[in-house]
Amino acid sequence: MKALILNSGKGSRMGDLTKTHPKCMTEIASMETIISRQLRQVAEQGISEVIITTGPFEEKLIHYVESLGLPLSYTFVRNPNYENTNYIYSMYLAKKYLEDTDILLMHGDLVVENDVFFSFCETEGSLMAGSKSKELPEKDFKAVVENDRIQKIGISYFEQAFAAQPLYKFEKEDFEKWLSAIVEFCESEDEEKRKLYAEEALNTVLENIPLNFYDVGNKLCQEVDNPDDLAVVSNILSEIKKRTVYICFSTDILHNGHLSLIKKAKRLGRVIVGVLKDEVIASYKRYPLVPFSERKAMFENISGVYQVVEQSSLSYKENLEKYKPDYVLHGDNWKTGFQKPIREEVCSVLASYGGKLIELPYHKEEKYAELEKRTKAELSMPDVRRGRLKKELELKGLVTAMEAHDGLTGLIVEQTKVYKEGGAHQFDAMWISSLCDSTAKGKPDIELVDMSSRFRTIEDITEVTTKPIIFDGDTGGIKEHFVYTVRSLERLGVSMVIIEDKTGLKKNSLFGTEVEQTQDSIEAFSEKIRAGKNAQRTKDFMICARIESLILEKGMEDALERAFAFRKAGADAIMIHSRKKDPTEIFTFVERFREKEKDCYIVVVPTSFNSVREEEFKRRGVNVVIYANQLMRATVPAIQKAATLILEKERAEECDSMLMPFQDIIRLIPEED
């Protein structure tokens, strides 16, 4: 496509303003003229070739245009007879540059706001701009329109007509018809035809051109014919430049799609970028590789971004009410799915003060999917995964972990999300339980499964997931062995190991005092913690001391004494456990521990006291909630029922309704190139 800008007129109605330069060089805003605005719009649209017809002050116009330094190639076509002809003759003189190409045509005194210009250029088909809502002008162009198709254009039409502006876009086949009519007019013996509007020639071929009417409404698309027009246009532009556009981003990798969105936003006004906080992103998608402060700085360094602000939730409401942007820009992918309530809230807030939502077609290109895939691969690496649990605790205050005992349950924990109230809820981490690991292998939970086998479980899970891992270390074994366990877990990318303060052959805590269990001494267990902390190589890895005092009915004071001692020995976290359904003793422990220890993480496993919601745990000062065995407990009844049903019916048909199609199971498994 080429742009044709007609600048052959004298602009006499502008008075003294055009005594020394062509009308197109009239300043309409600070450091902006009509022609500089037009050319910047043309360049931003991606058009590279511009034909400019000239008349008076040609040399001055050429020098000015070339001094703008825009990435445009210019062809200047002088109309030497500009005083005795109309722009139909200027177009005729430029005809050899206008053949076999789509054409964007505008008069050199036309001022168009960006929203109109770019939308007009990107609309399919041949078009002329105009307004169905503005008053019909007496002496300016009007278009007779029927079913949005233009029938005639001229200054004398008033029936079925709308105000029209000299902004055209022609597909090459359509423009060639108009150009042929222009040539016929200008090469005729009737010299008066060179003094007509070019639209007179267009009217002779309009029945063969599907020229559609593009309605700009009340937006700026206006010629500057006189000083009054100039004042009106300048005031409107001044108001337009105050407009703001709000876009929200969660990305930590900028690609062309994001830059294109910002570029489109800049056309509408000053761009305010809302950057989602890390904990918000982590709540509904993967954990961001780049922290909030760096992502915020990344957007602050993009040319044309006016302001970068924090968005502290998926809801836009707080920021919209604070900044009251004229526009919110978003892809149309949120019309359905979990973001639909967020969109509805945005529409409601915008309607309350007259803002507008602009939605662009959402395109998920393959190369961007590949970037996301590479990012997930990065998140799965041990050094990245290991540190994420501590970061999530700092960000969110409370994290949740679900038990996983093999690659498939790891994938379920990784991918399961619940969408509600315009947001998403998912597990933050994975718990690799000694009980479930042993059970999956058909072995008793007595530390019979050795560490090498348990490490293979970790490897199976880390190969296909990205979330942090909390490892059930049982008693930790003897101090000298625990040192090597810590280093192995660190290398594997585990974030935390939890060891319990018991000695001897391990017996599951679920049995409490029903079986003989021996609690380790405070001194010996503290030494084990110190040895583990001294052995670790990174700051990210954490050791959590699990206290069995309440399980073994040794009382609150014993539990607290141990907790403070283990913390002093270097434990990063304390896990307090109970077999009671009533959470009172857990809450009491947390309250009393928090009176002295504000920073130590507290871990709970609400297998028995399972009526407490996560929000209440967080409010009381708990940091980690582990759902320790629910997936294993859900699995056994389901497979038992399926096996029993097949035996009873002597066929598989009856159990099909309770089974997941294998294609859906396979879809859980990530594909590799």
Side-chain angles (χ1 to χ4, degrees):
M1 178 180 282
K2 295 180 181 179
L4 171 62
I5 304 177
L6 304 173
N7 274 313
S8 304
K10 294 188 292 182
S12 55
R13 283 189 285 173
M14 294 291 288
D16 290 345
L17 291 171
T18 52
K19 272 189 174 181
T20 59
H21 58 70
K23 182 164 60 169
C24 66
M25 287 175 60
T26 301
E27 193 171 83
I28 51 176
S30 176
M31 304 296 290
E32 182 175 64
T33 62
I34 300 173
I35 187 70
S36 72
R37 180 182 181 83
Q38 290 177 334
L39 292 174
R40 285 194 176 93
Q41 288 173 325
V42 165
E44 193 173 332
Q45 181 57 32
I47 299 170
S48 59
E49 294 185 58
V50 184
I51 297 97
I52 300 176
T53 67
T54 65
F57 310 110
E58 180 189 39
E59 288 185 8
K60 186 171 284 190
L61 176 58
I62 292 173
H63 177 74
Y64 174 73
V65 164
E66 291 179 342
S67 73
L68 294 173
L70 295 169
L72 296 170
S73 172
Y74 301 106
T75 301
F76 297 94
V77 179
R78 177 172 171 76
N79 180 354
N81 199 17
Y82 64 85
E83 293 197 71
N84 300 310
T85 60
N86 209 323
Y87 56 82
I88 188 172
Y89 191 62
S90 298
M91 292 175 69
Y92 168 74
L93 295 174
K95 67 181 186 300
K96 69 177 180 179
Y97 305 109
L98 305 174
E99 294 169 345
D100 197 33
T101 181
D102 295 343
I103 293 292
L104 174 69
L105 184 153
M106 68 184 97
H107 286 196
D109 59 358
L110 185 69
V111 180
V112 187
E113 67 174 272
N114 287 336
D115 188 15
V116 171
F117 181 86
F118 295 109
S119 177
F120 178 86
C121 290
E122 290 162 9
T123 301
E124 295 292 325
S126 297
L127 307 169
M128 180 187 191
S131 174
K132 293 183 177 180
S133 52
K134 292 181 181 178
E135 188 178 344
L136 283 178
E138 284 294 323
K139 297 180 180 179
D140 291 327
F141 281 135
K142 292 168 281 291
V144 177
V145 180
E146 187 176 312
N147 297 324
D148 281 336
R149 181 166 170 175
I150 296 175
Q151 308 298 313
K152 289 184 180 298
I153 302 167
I155 61 174
S156 59
Y157 303 114
F158 288 88
E159 296 295 323
Q160 289 186 285
F162 298 110
Q165 293 294 341
L167 175 63
Y168 295 94
K169 181 170 70 72
F170 279 96
E171 294 183 347
K172 63 181 180 180
E173 296 84 358
D174 297 333
F175 189 75
E176 283 172 3
K177 294 171 186 175
W178 187 12
L179 194 58
S180 295
I182 287 172
V183 170
E184 185 178 332
F185 268 54
C186 291
E187 291 183 355
S188 75
E189 295 180 359
D190 185 356
E191 292 187 5
E192 291 300 310
K193 286 190 174 183
R194 298 175 196 163
K195 299 178 181 179
L196 299 173
Y197 293 120
E199 283 71 15
E200 294 290 347
L202 179 58
N203 285 337
T204 66
V205 293
L206 260 181
E207 63 180 1
N208 299 317
I209 298 176
L211 183 63
N212 294 320
F213 187 80
Y214 181 89
D215 185 12
V216 305
N218 288 312
K219 295 178 181 177
L220 178 61
C221 181
Q222 180 177 331
E223 287 182 288
V224 177
D225 288 328
N226 53 55
D228 290 340
D229 290 342
L230 178 62
V232 170
V233 165
S234 295
N235 285 334
I236 295 173
L237 284 176
S238 178
E239 289 301 312
I240 287 173
K241 287 185 176 180
K242 295 176 185 176
R243 291 177 186 169
T244 53
V245 189
Y246 188 83
I247 324 175
C248 177
F249 285 103
S250 63
T251 187
D252 48 11
I253 298 177
L254 273 179
H255 53 62
N256 286 338
H258 300 124
L259 297 175
S260 175
L261 192 63
I262 291 172
K263 182 178 178 181
K264 289 177 180 177
K266 283 165 57 180
R267 298 170 179 176
L268 299 169
R270 295 180 295 184
V271 179
I272 301 175
V273 172
V275 179
L276 282 175
K277 294 184 71 176
D278 294 342
E279 58 267 38
V280 181
I281 299 171
S283 74
Y284 80 101
K285 58 188 291 189
R286 63 168 175 78
Y287 189 86
L289 276 174
V290 180
F292 170 79
S293 59
E294 292 180 27
R295 289 186 291 114
K296 184 171 183 284
M298 178 172 69
F299 285 103
E300 286 171 338
N301 284 294
I302 296 176
S303 174
V305 172
Y306 169 67
Q307 189 176 5
V308 181
V309 300
E310 172 190 298
Q311 184 167 316
S312 57
S313 74
L314 288 175
S315 169
Y316 286 53
K317 185 176 181 180
E318 182 180 350
N319 279 2
L320 295 190
E321 290 179 341
K322 181 176 181 179
Y323 299 105
K324 288 189 165 48
D326 297 276
Y327 300 99
V328 169
L329 212 60
H330 200 284
D332 60 6
N333 57 314
W334 67 344
K335 290 183 177 180
T336 58
F338 84 96
Q339 292 191 84
K340 185 178 178 182
I342 299 174
R343 178 184 183 273
E344 291 170 352
E345 183 182 63
V346 167
C347 291
S348 175
V349 176
L350 289 173
S352 70
Y353 66 83
K356 181 181 178 183
L357 173 63
I358 296 179
E359 293 170 313
L360 303 172
Y362 180 76
H363 300 293
K364 191 166 185 178
E365 295 189 29
E366 188 63 33
K367 60 182 178 181
Y368 303 148
E370 182 61 30
L371 278 174
E372 186 65 19
K373 188 175 179 181
R374 282 161 49 194
T375 300
K376 286 186 176 180
E378 178 86 6
L379 288 170
S380 70
M381 299 303 290
D383 286 343
V384 177
R385 189 195 298 252
R386 186 192 311 113
R388 275 181 41 215
L389 182 63
K390 188 173 281 188
K391 289 177 182 176
E392 288 183 0
L393 284 165
E394 292 169 358
L395 288 170
K396 299 176 67 177
L398 179 86
V399 302
T400 59
M402 171 57 83
E403 172 265 319
H405 52 267
D406 55 21
L408 185 58
T409 50
L411 285 168
I412 290 170
V413 177
E414 177 91 3
Q415 298 178 24
T416 301
K417 295 184 180 73
V418 174
Y419 298 104
K420 55 185 180 180
E421 299 173 359
H425 189 51
Q426 61 180 319
F427 298 110
D428 303 296
M430 299 180 190
W431 165 246
I432 298 185
S433 158
S434 172
L435 168 62
C436 294
D437 205 0
S438 301
T439 303
K441 293 174 172 63
K443 304 288 178 65
D445 184 29
I446 55 172
E447 297 185 82
L448 180 61
V449 178
D450 64 28
M451 280 296 170
S452 296
S453 178
R454 298 206 55 211
F455 290 167
R456 283 197 295 273
T457 301
I458 295 174
E459 289 170 345
D460 288 343
I461 291 173
T462 55
E463 278 182 7
V464 295
T465 66
T466 66
K467 292 188 174 181
I469 289 173
I470 303 173
F471 184 78
D472 180 359
D474 290 326
T475 65
I478 64 173
K479 180 179 67 175
E480 290 77 10
H481 291 180
F482 182 56
V483 166
Y484 288 98
T485 299
V486 166
R487 290 178 179 170
S488 296
L489 292 174
E490 273 193 294
R491 283 197 304 273
L492 290 168
V494 171
S495 299
M496 177 187 284
V497 61
I498 298 180
I499 54 173
E500 56 194 86
D501 59 349
K502 291 192 296 192
T503 61
L505 182 66
K506 181 201 170 178
K507 300 290 178 63
N508 193 282
S509 295
L510 296 174
F511 294 104
T513 57
E514 295 173 22
V515 296
E516 186 178 345
Q517 302 192 63
T518 304
Q519 204 167 11
D520 202 354
S521 70
I522 292 176
E523 294 76 15
F525 197 71
S526 294
E527 276 301 311
K528 189 182 292 186
I529 292 169
R530 274 191 284 269
K533 292 303 293 180
N534 289 334
Q536 72 180 67
R537 305 290 174 83
T538 68
K539 295 180 180 179
D540 297 327
F541 187 77
M542 292 180 281
I543 296 175
C544 174
R546 168 174 161 174
I547 296 170
E548 296 288 282
S549 299
L550 301 182
I551 291 283
L552 300 176
E553 299 179 4
K554 292 196 174 179
M556 185 65 63
E557 298 308 320
D558 184 74
L560 287 166
E561 181 186 2
R562 287 172 173 272
F564 292 127
F566 299 157
R567 174 61 171 160
K568 187 176 180 180
D572 302 278
I574 298 294
M575 175 181 157
I576 187 64
H577 208 15
S578 171
R579 288 191 301 142
K580 294 181 180 179
K581 292 187 71 67
D582 184 345
T584 301
E585 67 177 2
I586 293 292
F587 292 160
T588 301
F589 175 90
V590 172
E591 182 181 355
R592 292 185 60 183
F593 184 73
R594 278 283 175 250
E595 287 175 0
K596 294 184 179 180
E597 278 289 350
K598 305 298 183 185
D599 300 324
C600 182
Y601 300 125
I602 298 178
V603 182
V604 297
V605 179
T607 306
S608 300
F609 45 99
N610 54 17
S611 62
V612 184
R613 293 188 179 275
E614 292 163 10
E615 189 55 43
E616 184 172 0
F617 280 128
K618 182 177 182 180
R619 179 170 54 81
R620 290 179 179 273
V622 172
N623 305 106
V624 182
V625 175
I626 298 175
Y627 299 100
N629 49 44
Q630 280 78 6
L631 293 190
M632 175 62 76
R633 288 161 59 198
T635 302
V636 174
I639 59 179
Q640 278 185 331
K641 184 176 180 181
T644 302
L645 204 54
I646 289 172
L647 285 175
E648 287 177 350
K649 302 299 181 181
E650 299 184 19
R651 64 181 186 181
E653 182 182 18
E654 283 75 11
C655 76
D656 263 11
S657 61
M658 57 180 283
L659 304 179
M660 176 184 257
F662 224 99
Q663 296 94 320
D664 293 345
I665 296 174
I666 291 171
R667 290 190 186 101
L668 290 170
I669 301 170
E671 294 182 7
E672 295 294 335
D673 293 333

